[in-house]
Amino acid sequence: MTNLNLDAFVADLERLRSEAETALADAIDIEGLEAARVVFLGAKNGRLKAVQKGLGKLGRDDKPVGGQQFNAVKKSVEALFLQASQRVASQSKNSKGVEQVDVTLPGSPIRFGRVHPITQTIRRVSSIMANLGFEAVDGPEVEDQWHNFEALAIPNEHPARDPLDNFYIAVANADRPLLLRSQTSTVQIRVMEERKPPLRIVSLGRVYRPDTADATHYPMFHQVEGLLIEPGTTMAHLKSVLRSFASSFLGGDVRVRFRPSFFPFTEPSVEVDMEWNGRWIEMGGAGMVDPSVLQSVGYDPDEVCGFAFGLGVERIAARRFGVADIRDFYRNDIRFLEQFHDRGQA
Ligand code: PHE
């Protein structure tokens, strides 16, 4: 076996190093880099591997020097490879940054949120009522028994005050529990206590009753309360306000029907139905404000009179949007909620 000359071995190594240097410097992407790595550093057929085989053919005395030279070149090729990889990686990052701004692409659409259908309904009802001269007012959701019951002529023994029908809240150091209001009629009292007639107010908000949730009930729901106190008010005014409201809200000439009913705080009292697509739907209650209620807020029933009504917002919204189960309003399923968009309102 012919011995390999040390000078030739070192010259081979040097050529390999400089070719590797050029190849790695030329690599502009991951693919080019990988190709150069396979050619020079490849574990099976790489050029370094081939030269390493030559080590064995060196003369005994030349082997230590040859080995040192081989290791030095191997290290330097590995270092060159590492350098080149870092360069390619940072270049591809930069060039990506440039590519991201392609001004010829259509813009990506911004996702608009939607107002919840119940809030849409509330806003629309208030704006229609504002056109009829009713000012929107708010009242507290945590109420005392005077405003939720007594001032509305609902005495202590009335079944509406049953603990099973109300969310009472025991309060430390208070002689009587508060409650989550069970109706927005509380706001009638609060406004009348503070202001002198004439009044035209509407109040929309949450009310609470411990009902089992089903397609038409929920322990929390919303009411629209209307109150008008003006000399000479009659049931005819009540009906025409409700009809104007229904026609604006539902569109077209909506018929409104009264059925005799009873509420402690109105006399006479009626249930209000509205006709929708040939069907009569019960929307809530109404009536002439009871003289005892006027008295309880310090008004003189011989001088003032007026009407009040309370409608269910969920019922109105369900009608308008064609929703069969009011629980869907509160499931927070975005696919359900985003279907509803009442155009022509804020
Ligand atoms: N507050 C009554 C209810 O919740 C509705 C109503 C309001 C009736 C105003 C008459 C007048 O059922």
Side-chain angles (χ1 to χ4, degrees):
M1 183 170 87
T2 48
N3 275 355
L4 183 64
N5 176 287
L6 179 64
D7 291 342
F9 178 77
V10 172
D12 268 1
L13 271 177
E14 192 42 52
R15 199 177 318 116
L16 188 157
R17 204 196 64 80
S18 94
E19 282 177 25
E21 189 169 26
T22 315
L24 287 167
D26 285 348
I28 49 160
D29 52 19
I30 309 269
E31 286 76 15
L33 203 64
E34 176 59 10
R37 188 193 65 78
V38 170
V39 169
F40 294 98
L41 293 161
K44 267 193 189 154
N45 301 314
R47 296 265 305 272
L48 265 170
K49 201 81 202 164
V51 175
Q52 191 179 15
K53 281 180 190 144
L55 252 183
K57 296 183 194 155
L58 285 178
R60 184 184 289 266
D61 298 337
D62 292 334
K63 271 189 183 149
V65 182
Q68 267 172 20
Q69 293 288 323
F70 175 81
N71 284 334
V73 168
K74 187 178 178 213
K75 270 211 183 105
S76 116
V77 172
E78 282 167 349
L80 285 166
F81 175 73
L82 203 69
Q83 245 176 39
S85 325
Q86 282 161 357
R87 175 177 49 77
V88 166
S90 81
Q91 272 169 358
S92 82
K93 234 187 266 157
N94 292 342
S95 67
K96 240 191 218 148
V98 172
E99 277 163 21
Q100 263 170 7
V101 189
D102 180 348
V103 293
T104 65
L105 286 174
S108 43
I110 295 168
R111 260 191 95 198
F112 285 106
R114 281 255 205 304
V115 173
H116 192 281
I118 293 296
T119 308
Q120 289 180 32
T121 307
I122 285 174
R123 291 188 183 172
R124 242 195 103 185
V125 170
S126 321
S127 104
I128 292 170
M129 292 308 293
N131 290 340
L132 295 172
F134 288 74
E135 173 199 352
V137 294
D138 266 338
E141 288 177 26
V142 176
E143 240 333 335
D144 54 47
Q145 300 197 35
W146 167 257
H147 290 97
N148 200 88
F149 299 125
E150 280 136 32
L152 290 161
I154 305 173
N156 221 357
E157 58 288 349
H158 194 281
R161 298 181 69 153
D162 194 306
L164 291 174
D165 291 327
N166 292 281
F167 289 107
Y168 285 104
I169 303 166
V171 183
N173 302 323
D175 36 325
R176 297 205 300 169
L178 298 176
L179 75 160
L180 295 178
R181 67 177 177 193
S182 62
Q183 50 183 351
T184 45
S185 300
T186 53
V187 187
Q188 294 181 32
I189 303 301
R190 288 191 171 271
V191 172
M192 288 192 285
E193 280 174 338
E194 299 222 323
R195 302 193 200 171
K196 294 271 153 259
L199 288 177
R200 280 190 195 195
I201 57 109
V202 67
S203 188
L204 292 104
R206 295 190 183 105
V207 299
Y208 302 84
R209 294 178 193 175
D211 289 329
T212 304
D214 62 26
T216 54
H217 294 84
Y218 208 73
M220 181 280 304
F221 58 102
H222 298 74
Q223 288 187 330
V224 196
E225 190 83 13
L227 174 71
L228 179 145
I229 306 282
E230 271 169 39
T233 306
T234 69
M235 290 289 274
H237 297 120
L238 169 62
K239 196 166 194 178
S240 68
V241 163
L242 288 171
R243 205 185 41 221
S244 302
F245 162 74
S247 299
S248 304
F249 188 83
L250 298 171
D253 191 18
V254 178
R255 288 203 290 164
V256 169
R257 174 172 85 180
F258 284 169
R259 280 179 294 121
S261 184
F262 174 79
F263 297 99
F265 39 92
T266 46
E267 180 59 36
S269 302
V270 293
E271 299 289 335
V272 181
D273 298 337
M274 293 176 186
E275 195 185 22
W276 172 262
N277 289 345
R279 271 180 63 208
W280 287 98
I281 313 291
E282 192 184 315
M283 290 296 188
M288 299 303 291
V289 180
D290 193 289
S292 68
V293 173
L294 297 171
Q295 249 161 3
S296 72
V297 298
Y299 286 5
D300 180 353
D302 290 332
E303 281 180 13
V304 297
C305 64
F307 66 69
F309 62 86
L311 311 179
V313 172
E314 277 75 0
R315 279 186 194 173
I316 297 176
R319 246 347 67 221
R320 180 171 172 79
F321 293 125
V323 169
D325 188 330
I326 66 162
R327 286 171 293 189
D328 286 333
F329 286 130
Y330 304 116
R331 288 208 171 98
N332 258 350
D333 184 336
I334 207 89
R335 293 164 304 177
F336 171 80
L337 294 173
E338 71 185 0
Q339 301 174 83
F340 309 109
H341 191 44
D342 229 343
R343 280 166 214 290
Q345 62 138 34

